[in-house]
Every structure is written in structure tokens, then in C-alpha cells.
């Protein structure tokens, strides 16, 4: 499902440009040239974010934002044309999620839309094998509901395993995926990190060693954990 963006802007040249940029970036767009029909549209359609021009012919964007906010919690990005508008937006009196001042680059606006939507996202929790949970936002991994204290490299390394239980990864592959400068490190680096991770996993479940060593090839994560 593509996120749907509602553009409320009375200048067709501007809304067309925005619409084109957003659709190129994988969004769906709906355009309105005035504020009057917004509330009825919002009650019928699922909108993920609103781009709202402050200078509309029938109602000010600020007033409209207040009306919308009484009923809907969805994010709003303002389009401002004058510096006094920016002052009000920045003053947070209105509670905008972001604003862009005219003239703006459509690509920048699209990037802002993505950033606001990302902030709104519920935290992605990836669970591939049920005993491990990856929290991508906090860069944390839990093991049997126990949060692991992992270094950055240990976290990245475990992520490779958890995504594909049972697959054997060579030290070279792991180096390449995890370390920024693979040539600066050696195979022993991977071994040392695996050793540390094993100690941390063992502290949670002493009777299980979920990482399997494959002599001469590499490591894998035990399947069916
Ligand atoms: Ca306008």
C-alpha cells in the first residue's frame, strides 16, 4: 500500500509539481485547491499525511490545521510563502510536523514527507527466529526476551545470522557485511566477536549454544530456536 498524501494548495502549478515529485517517489497523491472540502474527504478516505498551503482562498491554513487536528492526528507539513508565516509555524503555536518555505525544491519536500512518515512509524520489530527479536530503531537485539548488551559490530553480526537461520556465513562474508574497512581487519576479528557474543548468549541461556562453528567455512545460527 502506497502512502497517500493530500496536497491542499490553490496554485495548480505548485500542486502539480509536488504531486509529480511525490508520485515519482512512490506516493499516491490527492489534490485540493481549497480548504472547504477537506473534512469530508478526510472522513471518507485514508490519508497518511497532509501538505497544507497556508494561503488558501477560503480559509487560512492555520485555521484549517486546527480544524483537522480536532479530529485527526495525521501529520501536516505546511507550505509557507512569507516569513511571518514561518515565524508562526516555527513558534509551534500550530503544531505542524514540519514546514517548507516557497520556493522549495520538490525533492526536498519529498524528503521531508518521508522523514515525517518515518517518525510516525511504529517501531519495526523484526522477528525471524522466535527466540531473537531485532529492534531496528534502537539497534538492540533481545534473546528469549532478554535485552543483549551488544557492541555495534556484535549487533550487526547477529543481525546477519538472525535474518537467515541455518545459513552458513564465511568469515569473509561477515567481514564484508559488518566491518567498515574489511581490509583493515582479519579473520580473527570475526572469531573474537563470535566468542564475545557466545558469552553474552550463554549468560541468558547457559544450556544453549545457538551459534554453530563450521570448520573451514564459517558460522551459522541454529535453526528452529
Ligand atoms: Ca496559496
Amino acid at each position: 500500500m502506497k502512502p497517500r498524501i493530500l496536497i491542499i494548495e490553490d496554485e495548480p502549478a505548485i500542486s502539480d509539481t509536488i504531486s509529480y515529485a511525490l508520485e515519482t517517489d512512490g506516493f499516491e497523491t490527492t489534490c485540493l485547491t481549497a480548504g472547504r472540502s477537506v473534512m469530508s474527504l478526510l472522513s471518507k478516505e485514508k490519508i497518511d499525511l497532509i501538505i497544507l498551503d497556508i494561503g488558501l482562498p477560503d480559509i487560512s491554513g492555520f485555521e484549517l490545521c486546527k480544524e483537522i487536528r480536532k479530529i485527526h492526528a495525521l501529520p501536516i507539513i505546511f507550505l509557507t510563502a512569507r516569513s511571518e508565516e514561518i515565524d508562526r509555524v516555527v513558534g509551534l503555536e500550530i503544531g505542524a510536523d514540519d514546514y517548507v518555505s516557497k520556493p522549495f525544491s520538490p525533492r526536498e519536500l519529498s524528503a521531508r514527507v518521508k522523514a515525517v512518515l518515518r517518525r510516525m512509524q511504529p517501531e519495526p520489530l523484526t522477528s525471524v527466529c522466535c527466540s531473537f527479536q531485532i529492534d531496528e530503531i534502537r539497534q538492540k537485539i533481545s534473546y528469549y526476551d532478554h535485552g543483549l548488551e551488544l557492541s555495534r559490530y556484535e549487533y550487526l553480526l547477529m543481525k546477519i545470522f538472525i535474518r537467515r537461520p541455518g545459513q552458513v556465513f564465511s568469515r569473509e562474508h561477515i567481514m564484508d557485511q559488518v566491518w567498515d574497512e574489511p581490509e583493515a581487519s582479519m579473520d580473527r576479528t570475526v572469531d573474537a566477536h563470535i566468542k564475545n557474543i557466545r558469552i553474552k548468549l550463554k549468560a541468558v541461556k547457559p544450556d544453549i549454544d545457538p551459534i554453530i562453528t563450521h570448520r573451514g567455512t564459517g558460522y551459522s545460527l541454529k535453526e528452529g530456536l
Side-chain angles (χ1 to χ4, degrees), residues 12 22 37 39 76 80 89 98 110 153 155-156 167 175 199:
L22 291 176
S37 49
M39 299 312 283
I76 296 173
T80 68
V89 175
D98 204 349
S110 185
Y153 287 139
Y155 165 77
L156 293 171
Q167 182 170 332
M175 291 295 314
I199 292 167

Side-chain angles (χ1 to χ4, degrees), residues 64-111:
L64 187 56
C65 177
K66 280 188 208 159
E67 291 304 307
I68 296 169
R69 280 281 156 82
K70 281 181 193 163
I71 306 176
H72 303 276
L74 77 181
I76 296 173
I77 297 179
F78 277 119
L79 297 180
T80 68
R82 296 193 302 273
S83 55
E84 61 267 33
E85 293 175 346
I86 298 175
D87 291 344
R88 283 190 72 190
V89 175
V90 174
L92 290 177
E93 166 188 352
I94 308 299
D97 292 276
D98 204 349
Y99 75 95
V100 173
S101 46
K102 294 176 183 177
F104 54 87
S105 105
R107 288 185 66 184
E108 189 203 340
L109 177 57
S110 185

Side-chain angles (χ1 to χ4, degrees), residues 9 12 15 17 19 50 58 62 65 89 109 112-113 121 128 130 137 147-148 156 167 174 176 178 181 207 217:
E9 163 65 66
S15 64
T17 309
S19 176
I50 298 177
D58 56 344
F62 291 127
C65 177
V89 175
L109 177 57
R112 300 289 186 91
V113 167
Q121 287 275 320
V128 184
C130 49
I137 300 230
L148 298 170
L156 293 171
Q167 182 170 332
I174 295 169
D176 190 51
V178 174
E181 302 155 345
D207 50 332
T217 34

Side-chain angles (χ1 to χ4, degrees), residues 8-11 14 33 53-57 79 81 102:
I8 310 169
E9 163 65 66
D10 57 314
E11 288 171 62
I14 295 178
T33 53
D53 180 32
I54 291 173
L56 292 171
L79 297 180
K102 294 176 183 177

Side-chain angles (χ1 to χ4, degrees), residues 28-203:
E28 278 186 33
T29 58
T30 301
C31 299
L32 290 177
T33 53
R36 75 182 83 84
S37 49
V38 171
M39 299 312 283
S40 69
L41 185 133
L42 290 178
S43 65
K44 284 181 294 200
E45 287 192 39
K46 189 194 167 291
I47 299 290
D48 297 289
L49 182 144
I50 298 177
I51 294 172
L52 178 55
D53 180 32
I54 291 173
L56 292 171
D58 56 344
I59 181 172
S60 106
F62 291 127
E63 291 306 314
L64 187 56
C65 177
K66 280 188 208 159
E67 291 304 307
I68 296 169
R69 280 281 156 82
K70 281 181 193 163
I71 306 176
H72 303 276
L74 77 181
I76 296 173
I77 297 179
F78 277 119
L79 297 180
T80 68
R82 296 193 302 273
S83 55
E84 61 267 33
E85 293 175 346
I86 298 175
D87 291 344
R88 283 190 72 190
V89 175
V90 174
L92 290 177
E93 166 188 352
I94 308 299
D97 292 276
D98 204 349
Y99 75 95
V100 173
S101 46
K102 294 176 183 177
F104 54 87
S105 105
R107 288 185 66 184
E108 189 203 340
L109 177 57
S110 185
R112 300 289 186 91
V113 167
K114 285 180 205 163
V116 169
L117 288 176
R118 212 180 302 126
R119 287 205 299 270
M120 302 287 293
Q121 287 275 320
E123 292 158 13
L125 284 172
T126 325
S127 175
V128 184
C129 34
C130 49
S131 53
F132 287 97
Q133 293 270 353
I134 305 176
D135 180 343
E136 298 265 7
I137 300 230
R138 297 193 177 79
Q139 302 216 328
K140 296 267 182 201
I141 293 173
S142 62
Y143 176 51
Y144 288 102
D145 296 326
H146 185 102
L148 298 170
E149 291 295 325
L150 300 175
S151 71
R152 182 170 160 266
Y153 287 139
E154 289 166 356
Y155 165 77
L156 293 171
L157 203 159
M158 279 310 290
K159 233 170 72 165
I160 297 177
F161 287 143
I162 295 167
R163 293 252 164 82
R164 294 179 190 267
Q167 182 170 332
V168 180
F169 294 100
S170 67
R171 289 175 178 81
E172 194 183 15
H173 177 90
I174 295 169
M175 291 295 314
D176 190 51
Q177 294 288 306
V178 174
W179 272 264
D180 302 325
E181 302 155 345
E183 66 283 354
S185 309
M186 291 178 292
D187 285 357
R188 279 207 309 275
T189 314
V190 174
D191 295 345
H193 280 79
I194 296 277
K195 193 178 162 202
N196 280 339
I197 294 169
R198 276 185 167 137
I199 292 167
K200 292 174 183 181
L201 297 177
K202 207 159 189 163

